[in-house]
Amino acid sequence: MTTNAATDPMIGRMIDHRYRVRSRIARGGMATVYLATDVRLERRVAIKIMHGHLADDQAFRERFIQEARSAARLSHPNLVGVYDQGAEDDTAYIVMEYIPGITLRDLLQEHHALTPEQATDILRAVLAGLASAHRAGIVHRDLKPENVLLADDGRIKLGDFGLARASTQNTATGAALLGTIAYLSPELVTRGAADSRSDIYALGIMLYEMLTGEQPYKGEQPMQIAYQHANDTVPAPSAAVPGVPPELDDLVAWSTARNPDDRPRDAREMLDHMAGNQQRATGQYRTAVLRPENATAILPAGAGTPASADSGDATTILEPAAAQQPAARPGRNTPGPRRTGSQPGALSPAGQRLADKSAKRRKRGWIVLAIVVFLAIVGGTIGWALGPGPWGNVRIPEVAGKSISQARQLLEAQGLHTAKATSTRFDAVVAKGQVSTTKPAAKREVRKGTSVQIVVSNGPKMIALPAIVGQPISTVTAALDDDFQLQDDQYQFSADAPKDTVVAATGLGTDGTTVDLSKVETYGERGPVTLTVSLGPVPDVVGKNVDQATAALDAVDLTLGSQDARFDDDVPEGQIISAKAQDDPAVKGTAIDVVVSKGPTPITLPDVHGKTINEATSTLDNLGLKVVVPDCTNILCGFYDWKSSLPVSSTDPVAGTTVHRGDTITLAYEQ
């Protein structure tokens, strides 16, 4: 891919005062590779520059630097060399050896499949480079045709150690599987762990693809391909392409064994095995340049046996006896060609032998031409009969996921016969009632007219579910992991469930709807399961001030939301009266809205002057105020209800003063 400065600002830029960027070679997920000139050493290099939007991500920067460190530790003719690594203006880069040519992926797209000789030559070169990495304790983890470079001068090199890790370190990938799904080993799919045997598995898949032109596993979703890696056996290449030597079938089977212990332990063991096979097979895979049978040999004088009529097919140029004497200029007295006998035009014995040989060769040439034409006609006839003709082979098409009628149409269109009776099997990927596979399997080459049986999916095998809701997440995960596909856990706050216990479990029904797994007894094998785990209750912030509430919520990844204020006669000013989550149920990041107390409600003291003591007391009691009335000291007060008769003359505090519920008001009156 080419570009210019108008579309890529890196074109023409000088990096680190040394590398002049010339053009763009390729662009990937983490970085872009450019062709550049090292102005200091005056050589072309490839410079890999991390994408700008990833520069602030520490994890990506560390992975990018790891690639340079991993590759720089290695030196091998079949590995791309790393010259330099650095950063400028937040731009991280790696300087590498520039390899003009194509990738193995380009070669496969152009030729579809390779010959056994080509495939083994490429595999041998990749294994040699990979053996150097394995010997240094480095696992590549991203082997695929895109990372195998075929130089214009015939060199084969392995590059892109962007996912490499030291094999002595923990190579588990966690929740995210790194690498290309089509080449992931079963242990990477199921456990997320990789070692040198994982690289061997990827090489086995690459060898199958080189020999057949296709990857062994296909699917519309990555999970379908991953499931096949974990549960199926890679078929023999000869089943798809007749003529593949059995030694290569065995090599694919050995390197792609599902159990890592059944594979070569590293690239060196696999390379040594290939070398041993080649010696035993007397060069079966080696392309040799043979000397032509009818070669022309120029023999110097005295270097061999003199030519005779029985010297075979090799043409021998004999030096004339006159070569020992000075050459004479032709003239009137110079003799012409030496002739023997008295017959006109007779040749010398040596000349006659040359003439006889030429005639014999011309005759042989016509015979060879006739044989070639005859063989071409016969070969063409046989090729037509075995190809589009009645004796031809066809490849069984992929019909998984189709309806039965669609599958029959596709099979019969290839000249195959479909058996009337169908069989069934459990299938965790293909929906019930659709075609699961065929017998023989898809991609097999068979003779036209072969009977093919359609195998219909019964849907996934139903498996009894253990107790889930209310159980610890560790217990539930261990019980479900072998039979189902556990998705990323979801978390929520719950007042009813302790922290780290499962509060809900959901799956997918055959119609794609969500299924509450706590309400069913069985569920389909390998079906997706999403567990919802309790984070415990939302912290109680009622009675706390705003700062205390903020700290309590931050500790569990919640945030303080809106803050309303209101008067409250029971909650002191500044304390939280109530709290409510904006989401129900609350999850991490949910905002908690609160109501903060402004203290007791203010009251303007009414004017009760002139009202009787009882009337004034009733008015003030209704406002939540406490009333104090001094005792009457007049002797007459004992003879009548003086509180119902005597008027209030004043209050303390005076009318119009701001008071609050519970405050005390003293009434004055004239005795």
Side-chain angles (χ1 to χ4, degrees):
M1 177 178 180
T2 60
T3 186
N4 52 47
T7 58
D8 192 328
M10 293 301 302
I11 306 301
R13 178 175 171 180
M14 178 73 77
I15 296 178
D16 202 16
H17 305 289
R18 180 173 180 176
Y19 305 106
R20 174 74 69 182
V21 179
R22 298 299 184 187
S23 61
R24 189 163 73 190
I25 299 174
R27 181 178 177 87
M30 288 176 55
T32 301
V33 181
Y34 296 91
L35 174 63
T37 300
D38 182 346
V39 298
R40 187 178 302 171
L41 299 179
E42 296 184 353
R43 65 178 177 182
R44 291 193 300 175
V45 296
I47 184 165
K48 188 173 186 178
I49 301 176
M50 177 185 285
H51 294 328
H53 67 279
L54 300 177
D56 295 332
D57 191 319
Q58 187 63 27
F60 275 102
R61 289 179 66 88
E62 290 178 357
R63 186 182 303 167
F64 193 75
I65 295 172
Q66 176 67 30
E67 174 181 359
R69 292 176 177 172
S70 299
R73 291 169 54 189
L74 306 174
S75 178
H76 192 276
N78 296 115
L79 296 178
V80 175
V82 171
Y83 300 147
D84 193 8
Q85 180 270 325
E88 182 183 66
D89 298 333
D90 296 329
T91 299
Y93 64 87
I94 300 173
V95 181
M96 304 175 294
E97 176 185 8
Y98 173 61
I99 309 294
I102 62 174
T103 67
L104 177 56
R105 173 64 67 205
D106 298 329
L107 185 66
L108 289 173
Q109 289 176 346
E110 181 178 354
H111 295 283
H112 185 65
L114 308 182
T115 66
E117 293 82 2
Q118 292 170 327
T120 51
D121 283 346
I122 293 173
L123 180 64
R124 188 180 296 107
V126 175
L127 278 170
L130 190 61
S132 175
H134 286 176
R135 185 168 55 251
I138 295 175
V139 181
H140 191 286
R141 299 205 313 168
D142 195 22
L143 289 171
K144 54 188 177 182
E146 287 81 355
N147 291 337
V148 178
L149 307 180
L150 310 178
D152 292 339
D153 58 7
R155 293 175 297 161
I156 301 173
K157 287 181 175 276
L158 175 63
D160 199 351
F161 279 74
L163 298 179
R165 294 288 186 276
S167 61
T168 56
Q169 297 175 351
N170 179 10
T171 58
T173 60
L177 287 176
L178 299 176
T180 304
I181 194 71
Y183 305 92
L184 289 184
S185 62
E187 62 270 19
L188 263 173
V189 172
T190 58
R191 303 193 307 272
D195 58 19
S196 57
R197 297 169 297 181
S198 305
D199 285 349
I200 296 300
Y201 183 90
L203 280 181
I205 300 296
M206 284 174 54
L207 177 58
Y208 181 94
E209 188 174 0
M210 286 191 288
L211 294 170
T212 66
E214 296 179 348
Q215 296 165 354
Y217 301 135
K218 294 182 179 180
E220 297 181 358
Q221 299 296 329
M223 188 179 74
Q224 297 175 336
I225 300 176
Y227 176 82
Q228 294 175 77
H229 278 294
N231 296 277
D232 293 348
T233 299
V234 175
S238 61
V241 179
V244 172
E247 291 86 352
L248 293 185
D249 280 345
D250 295 341
L251 196 62
V252 170
W254 186 31
S255 58
T256 60
R258 284 206 301 267
N259 187 346
D261 295 335
D262 296 335
R263 301 179 208 142
R265 65 179 179 273
D266 56 21
R268 172 52 58 188
E269 181 179 358
M270 188 172 178
L271 186 61
D272 292 343
H273 175 81
M274 290 183 64
N277 269 357
Q278 182 171 339
Q279 291 176 358
R280 289 190 294 271
T282 64
Q284 180 175 0
Y285 303 131
R286 175 68 67 185
T287 302
V289 180
L290 303 178
R291 183 180 299 279
E293 182 179 355
N294 298 327
T296 300
I298 300 178
L299 301 178
T305 303
S308 68
D310 299 327
S311 61
D313 293 333
T315 299
T316 304
I317 300 179
L318 302 176
E319 295 179 346
Q324 306 298 327
Q325 303 175 358
R329 184 175 181 177
R332 181 181 302 177
N333 297 324
T334 302
R338 185 162 59 93
R339 304 177 187 274
T340 59
S342 60
Q343 184 177 356
L347 298 175
S348 65
Q352 186 62 49
R353 285 196 297 270
L354 289 175
D356 292 343
K357 285 188 177 182
S358 298
K360 186 184 296 183
R361 280 200 184 89
R362 285 195 297 271
K363 182 178 180 181
R364 182 181 298 145
W366 284 108
I367 295 174
V368 170
L369 178 61
I371 293 173
V372 170
V373 172
F374 174 75
L375 291 178
I377 295 173
V378 172
T381 303
I382 295 175
W384 172 82
L386 295 178
W391 302 339
N393 288 346
V394 293
R395 183 169 295 182
I396 297 177
E398 178 65 65
V399 294
K402 308 283 186 186
S403 67
I404 296 177
S405 60
Q406 290 173 330
R408 290 187 187 278
Q409 291 176 0
L410 290 173
L411 293 169
E412 291 171 0
Q414 296 295 318
L416 300 169
H417 173 72
T418 56
K420 293 183 179 180
T422 62
S423 60
T424 60
R425 75 168 186 176
F426 292 111
D427 194 312
V429 177
V430 178
K432 183 176 182 180
Q434 295 181 340
V435 176
S436 174
T437 185
T438 56
K439 295 181 181 179
K443 299 187 292 186
R444 289 281 302 274
E445 279 203 4
V446 296
R447 187 69 56 84
K448 286 184 178 179
T450 298
S451 180
V452 178
Q453 185 181 42
I454 294 175
V455 181
V456 181
S457 170
N458 259 343
K461 180 181 179 181
M462 302 306 291
I463 298 177
L465 290 170
I468 297 177
V469 174
Q471 301 298 315
I473 179 61
S474 58
T475 301
V476 175
T477 300
L480 300 180
D481 192 39
D482 290 339
D483 296 321
F484 307 102
Q485 294 286 344
L486 294 179
Q487 309 300 301
D488 292 340
D489 295 334
Q490 297 181 359
Y491 293 86
Q492 69 181 45
F493 290 90
S494 173
D496 302 323
K499 185 179 180 181
D500 293 330
T501 59
V502 178
V503 296
T506 58
L508 288 179
T510 55
D511 57 354
T513 58
T514 300
V515 176
D516 184 351
L517 298 183
S518 66
K519 297 181 179 180
V520 297
E521 296 181 353
T522 59
Y523 185 54
E525 183 182 19
R526 311 311 300 169
V529 175
T530 301
L531 300 176
T532 303
V533 185
S534 172
L535 293 171
V538 174
D540 185 9
V541 296
V542 173
K544 301 180 183 295
N545 60 37
V546 171
D547 291 339
Q548 293 171 334
T550 301
L553 295 175
D554 285 345
V556 293
D557 294 328
L558 294 172
T559 61
L560 189 66
S562 63
Q563 303 176 39
D564 293 336
R566 77 179 185 204
F567 294 107
D568 192 291
D569 297 326
D570 299 321
V571 180
E573 182 179 2
Q575 292 185 2
I576 294 176
I577 302 170
S578 63
K580 182 179 181 181
Q582 292 183 359
D583 300 326
D584 186 20
V587 297
K588 288 185 178 182
T590 294
I592 308 299
D593 297 333
V594 297
V595 178
V596 182
S597 173
K598 295 167 62 177
T601 304
I603 301 172
T604 300
L605 185 64
D607 185 3
V608 294
H609 178 268
K611 293 185 177 182
T612 65
I613 294 173
N614 283 344
E615 291 173 342
T617 299
S618 176
T619 299
L620 298 177
D621 282 343
N622 291 336
L623 295 176
L625 301 172
K626 296 180 181 179
V627 179
V628 174
V629 180
D631 290 337
C632 180
T633 59
N634 191 322
I635 193 171
L636 297 176
C637 290
F639 296 98
Y640 69 102
D641 185 3
W642 56 276
K643 289 184 179 181
S644 299
S645 303
L646 296 179
V648 175
S649 59
S650 63
T651 59
D652 182 20
V654 299
T657 302
T658 299
V659 294
H660 300 88
R661 289 176 62 89
D663 287 354
T664 300
I665 309 299
T666 302
L667 301 182
Y669 57 93
E670 294 181 0
Q671 299 186 16

